[in-house]
Amino acid sequence: MSVVDTINGLTRPSAGRRTTATRDPFAPRGVAKVLTHLIAAVCALVTMFPLYAMVILSLRRPGAVEFPASLVPWDLSVESFGLIFATPEVWRWMANTLVYALVSVVLILLISAMAGYAFAKRRFRGREVMFWSLVSMLMVPYQVTLIPLFILVARSGGVDTYWGLILPGLANVQAVFLMRQFIMGIPDDLIEAARIDGCGDWRIFARIVLPLCRPILATLGIFVFLWHWNDFLWPLLVGQDPAMRTLTTGIASLQAEQIPLSQVFAGSVVAFVPIFLAYLVGQRYITDNAVAVGIKG
């Protein structure tokens, strides 16, 4: 057999096996696949439209935004961003938001990890009752507890203070639940071996449990950062002094001050960029651990 015959034999489609070139694009599976991609593309466009509108309107010249506004990308300018960054209050709001988000992330991760370890690995009377009573609080709408919580904080002198902003959100039931589910997957034998070697609970928690929890801590950290960076209602109630506003409440106050709408949209873009970067950095942890915890749970 010649070399040409051999090559033809390798490239010729064998009987009973369909190649890509012979697939019928109008077969039912092909049509379903095209329809699926089409629907996904439409959903993606609908989801991305508010973001596109926000960016386009932020790039209009101050005073050029009138409703109904044109969303055609023409005559764009970054002048509104320059005006936003020239506003001293914006830097103060950004610092407040960073303090609020970062301190909340550190404390919530620490508290939820300790609570998750206790509920997952410690044996004490009433553990299950306490845990499921805690989880049942997830069914209580946040708005129901908002007013009593504000009265409590206000009478304790927490209005216009960082502790009044941060402290009430530290009891995060969702974080405790996720940490407990993840820590339950750590083998008991590993903890018992450390206990036999003379380690106490604090040492086991710090030296064994916490290092093994890095993936779920990274996921929770990103989620908590997003929640607090975007939080609006609680900072609006507690931060009544303009100097204690966060970015979300500060940008909302700009709209009330009758400044050009392009500046308001520019401020929204400035507030959006950090959480978008945080999501890009941690999206792999979010996806992997959400699936893992869901399967274990």
Side-chain angles (χ1 to χ4, degrees):
M1 181 182 292
S2 66
V3 175
V4 174
D5 292 337
T6 305
I7 295 175
N8 289 336
L10 292 174
T11 55
R12 187 181 302 120
S14 60
R17 188 180 65 182
R18 299 180 64 186
T19 63
T20 304
T22 57
R23 286 178 183 170
D24 183 5
F26 297 102
R29 289 185 62 183
V31 173
K33 193 172 182 180
V34 171
L35 283 177
T36 302
H37 289 176
L38 188 62
I39 293 172
V42 171
C43 292
L45 288 175
V46 171
T47 305
M48 295 293 292
F49 179 76
L51 178 62
Y52 169 79
M54 180 178 70
V55 173
I56 291 298
L57 294 177
S58 70
L59 292 172
R60 296 285 187 224
R61 297 184 184 281
V65 178
E66 295 179 356
F67 289 97
S70 171
L71 296 179
V72 179
W74 61 274
D75 193 24
L76 302 182
S77 167
V78 294
E79 189 176 348
S80 297
F81 286 94
L83 294 173
I84 278 291
F85 286 118
T87 306
E89 291 83 0
V90 171
W91 296 101
R92 173 74 186 192
W93 299 339
M94 195 174 294
N96 290 340
T97 311
L98 277 174
V99 170
Y100 178 43
L102 293 179
V103 174
S104 297
V105 167
V106 173
L107 294 180
I108 287 176
L109 290 187
L110 183 62
I111 292 171
S112 61
M114 290 192 292
Y117 172 69
F119 283 123
K121 297 300 180 184
R122 294 290 298 163
R123 300 287 183 269
F124 55 89
R125 183 175 296 178
R127 183 185 69 167
E128 294 300 317
V129 174
M130 287 178 62
F131 176 71
W132 291 111
S133 299
L134 192 66
V135 172
S136 67
M137 292 175 62
L138 290 173
M139 292 184 287
V140 180
Y142 174 61
Q143 292 77 6
V144 172
T145 60
L146 194 63
I147 299 303
L149 193 61
F150 174 71
I151 294 174
L152 185 64
V153 170
R155 291 186 178 179
S156 303
V159 175
D160 293 330
T161 63
Y162 283 118
W163 74 261
L165 193 64
I166 295 170
L167 189 63
L170 298 185
N172 192 311
V173 180
Q174 293 171 326
V176 172
F177 177 78
L178 289 175
M179 287 303 304
R180 185 248 193 187
Q181 297 302 102
F182 190 88
I183 293 174
M184 284 180 69
I186 298 175
D188 291 338
D189 294 342
L190 192 62
I191 294 175
E192 290 303 323
R195 204 179 297 280
I196 291 172
D197 287 341
C199 293
D201 279 322
W202 284 109
R203 198 170 179 185
I204 292 173
F205 174 74
R207 297 293 183 88
I208 298 176
V209 175
L210 270 187
L212 292 175
C213 289
R214 282 177 187 162
I216 190 67
L217 288 173
T219 306
L220 266 179
I222 293 164
F223 273 126
V224 172
F225 182 80
L226 297 181
W227 292 336
H228 287 79
W229 187 273
N230 289 325
D231 195 10
F232 179 78
L233 201 51
W234 184 249
L236 181 67
L237 290 175
V238 175
Q240 297 179 2
D241 187 334
M244 282 302 297
R245 287 173 182 161
T246 59
L247 266 179
T248 52
T249 57
I251 291 169
S253 69
L254 288 180
Q255 191 172 6
E257 293 173 4
Q258 304 293 323
I259 70 167
L261 280 176
S262 60
Q263 282 182 246
V264 177
F265 286 112
S268 301
V269 172
V270 170
F272 167 75
V273 169
I275 59 172
F276 180 67
L277 294 178
Y279 180 77
L280 283 184
V281 170
Q283 61 171 337
R284 181 169 60 87
Y285 292 106
I286 292 175
T287 306
D288 293 347
N289 286 288
V291 173
V293 173
I295 292 173
K296 290 175 185 176

